[in-house]
Amino acid sequence: MHAPSKKLTVAAVGGATTLALLSAAPVAAGGAGGGGGNEEFRATGRPAVTNAFLGPDGPTQFTDRVQIRLDVKIEGARREVIRLRHPAGIATATFELEPGDSFPWHVHPGPVLVSVVSGGELSYVRASDCKVRPYAAGTVFVEPGPDLHTAFNQGTKTITLVGTFFDVAPGEALATPADPRKQLRLDKKCNLGTVLP
């Protein structure tokens, strides 16, 4: 039996903002996944959240009128246009992925700009096509938000990621994992094996 899913949430507690990790099952990734061989990859644990940058009451807010449009075309996928007419609730978090660490299949409330700051190559997989997409240190990509996806470190170096999350309400989860049964179905569909026994 698997433990309950984990939610990464932001909240203000007594004037200090915290990033809370609620209970969840550890996950891993491996297998061919439609994008290349990961047969020897096995998880060692979950990524650590090293810092969260928020305002005193939770996610920071624009004071000016701001509209954001992201026009995204990644290899092997259709073009996506993401419009944020009233962007609000911005949070930034830093993650460390040791070799073997992975995120569960999850979604975000809004788009996320993911910067691969240092270390090895991050492997990113969307449930919609199961393709493993590599992002090396020094690169940035856009995660649209509502689409199920996972990411993992199958290399030998620690990866540092910085995620800038949009449309996050105070106390709302930055990332909400799929339930354990769906995790297993996605693993089978994408030939990954991300849920540890």
Side-chain angles (χ1 to χ4, degrees):
M1 177 170 254
H2 297 284
S5 294
K6 179 180 279 189
K7 284 189 177 183
L8 182 61
T9 59
V10 290
V13 180
T17 304
T18 61
L19 191 67
L21 291 174
L22 308 178
S23 67
V27 296
N38 304 318
E39 294 83 7
E40 297 186 25
F41 176 81
R42 292 295 174 257
T44 59
R46 294 184 56 85
V49 180
T50 55
N51 283 300
F53 303 97
L54 304 161
D57 297 319
T60 56
Q61 306 288 319
F62 283 106
T63 55
D64 303 316
R65 187 173 180 173
V66 175
Q67 294 182 0
I68 297 173
R69 175 189 158 134
L70 300 169
D71 196 327
V72 181
K73 174 65 175 102
I74 64 173
E75 182 182 341
R78 63 178 173 75
R79 180 175 165 246
E80 297 171 278
V81 177
I82 304 163
R83 289 184 180 89
L84 300 173
R85 296 195 193 290
H86 306 288
I90 298 172
T92 303
T94 304
F95 301 87
E96 298 285 336
L97 284 82
E98 299 293 332
D101 284 354
S102 69
F103 292 100
W105 291 97
H106 63 281
V107 296
H108 303 290
V112 182
L113 301 180
V114 181
S115 299
V116 184
V117 177
S118 64
E121 192 172 78
L122 180 73
S123 297
Y124 168 77
V125 182
R126 289 182 174 191
S128 59
D129 65 8
C130 296
K131 182 172 179 168
V132 178
R133 292 179 171 87
Y135 290 97
T139 63
V140 178
F141 66 95
V142 176
E143 167 46 50
D147 300 329
L148 278 163
H149 60 282
T150 185
F152 50 91
N153 180 358
Q154 62 180 337
T156 59
K157 296 179 181 177
T158 299
I159 298 172
T160 301
L161 300 177
V162 176
T164 303
F165 300 79
F166 292 88
D167 285 344
V168 182
E172 183 176 20
L174 294 179
T176 304
D179 68 63
R181 287 183 195 159
K182 189 159 195 170
Q183 297 265 349
L184 291 170
R185 284 195 304 270
L186 289 169
D187 283 352
K188 187 173 182 179
K189 172 188 170 190
C190 295
N191 194 24
L192 287 176
T194 65
V195 180
L196 291 175

